[in-house]
Amino acid sequence: MVARTYSATLLGVNAVEIEIESHDGGGNPKMMIVGLPDASVKESRERVSAAIQSSGFAMNDGVTTVNLAPADLKKEGPGFDLPIAISLIAHRSRIPISVLSETAMMGELALNGELRPVRGLLAVALEARAKGRKRLLVPQKAAVEASVVSGIEIIGVANLREAVEIFLKATNSNQDPAELAQNLRDPNVTFDTTPARSMFFAEFMARVGQLKAMPADWKEVWMPELHDRRGS
């Protein structure tokens, strides 16, 4: 069986969607990651294995192959931990293909299954929306950054088990994963995008001199902010 999830890798200020495929086979237990992964992606084998077991899920008893496509594009960063883990768990948890195909995800896993923030979520959100994904699953602590982008649901989760529960409950109840995430979320956690807009506005202003060279989707996010601050 092959399970697929979706994420992205950064190329400058842009992101390019990456498809993560995982296959469970026989033989001695072993995980292989192919598709031009850098050192931090290769190390996800250890992080993902520990996080899956710490979260109460089972690993494959044989050879597990994870492919990052397209294979000719270098993949960088620990953000592939979450989509790799979900693709492996999907084999046994019966997460529907339809739910996975609508969702992009990114996040670094701690050994106990907690999710840690990664860089580039703004660009990843823009790319996921452009590819027609309905939602983006990200670490809860970094959800504000991604939520600057409109037109796509941003779901912040605290750990791997919570991410899986959202998918499974959505399957069993026919509810939207974003609604379920809202019910599971700590009421003390807010998603005010104002701080994020202010933080990224500083980066944007540094690029104003190169405005014509900026991607159209970045202009879409920041031109309203620039208009408001100039008061015209």
Side-chain angles (χ1 to χ4, degrees):
M1 175 183 175
V2 174
R4 292 183 175 88
T5 54
Y6 299 88
S7 188
T9 193
L10 296 177
L11 288 177
V13 298
N14 296 317
V16 177
E17 184 174 78
I18 301 299
E19 181 178 292
I20 295 90
E21 303 173 306
S22 66
H23 175 266
D24 284 355
N28 296 323
K30 180 181 180 181
M31 185 191 298
M32 298 183 296
I33 300 178
V34 298
L36 284 184
D38 73 350
S40 61
V41 179
K42 290 179 181 178
E43 290 173 352
S44 69
R45 290 175 300 190
E46 285 69 35
R47 291 191 299 271
V48 167
S49 297
I52 287 177
Q53 294 177 49
S54 296
S55 301
F57 301 106
M59 288 289 294
N60 178 34
D61 294 330
V63 176
T64 299
T65 304
V66 177
N67 180 47
L68 309 177
D72 60 351
L73 181 65
K74 187 174 182 179
K75 322 304 186 304
E76 300 179 342
F80 290 102
D81 289 2
L82 179 59
I84 289 175
I86 294 294
S87 71
L88 298 178
I89 293 171
H91 289 293
R92 294 169 181 77
S93 298
R94 298 182 179 180
I95 301 174
I97 294 175
S98 58
V99 177
L100 293 178
S101 65
E102 295 172 346
T103 309
M105 56 193 81
M106 196 171 198
E108 177 184 345
L109 285 169
L111 300 185
N112 64 355
E114 291 182 2
L115 276 166
R116 292 171 173 160
V118 293
R119 67 185 182 90
L121 289 179
L122 174 60
V124 172
L126 290 168
E127 174 68 358
R129 185 185 65 179
K131 294 300 183 181
R133 308 300 167 197
K134 290 185 177 180
R135 64 193 68 90
L136 174 63
L137 205 66
V138 299
Q140 191 175 74
K141 295 178 180 178
V144 170
E145 175 183 345
S147 66
V148 171
V149 180
S150 61
I152 184 170
E153 298 172 348
I154 305 300
I155 303 177
V157 291
N159 52 62
L160 178 59
R161 172 162 284 282
E162 183 179 324
V164 175
E165 286 180 355
I166 288 173
F167 284 125
L168 294 180
K169 289 183 178 180
T171 301
N172 297 329
S173 65
N174 291 322
Q175 279 186 269
D176 186 89
E179 295 178 4
L180 290 168
Q182 187 66 40
N183 296 333
L184 290 171
R185 184 174 299 146
D186 184 340
N188 295 319
V189 176
T190 61
F191 287 86
D192 180 9
T193 62
T194 302
R197 294 184 69 85
S198 298
M199 178 173 60
F200 290 107
F201 182 73
E203 179 181 350
F204 170 79
M205 288 300 291
R207 304 173 187 271
V208 168
Q210 305 172 5
L211 187 57
K212 292 183 179 179
M214 288 183 64
D217 46 11
W218 280 74
K219 292 178 184 177
E220 174 193 332
V221 172
W222 291 117
M223 286 309 291
E225 182 90 358
L226 183 61
H227 177 85
D228 291 344
R229 296 196 178 209
R230 287 179 173 175
S232 59

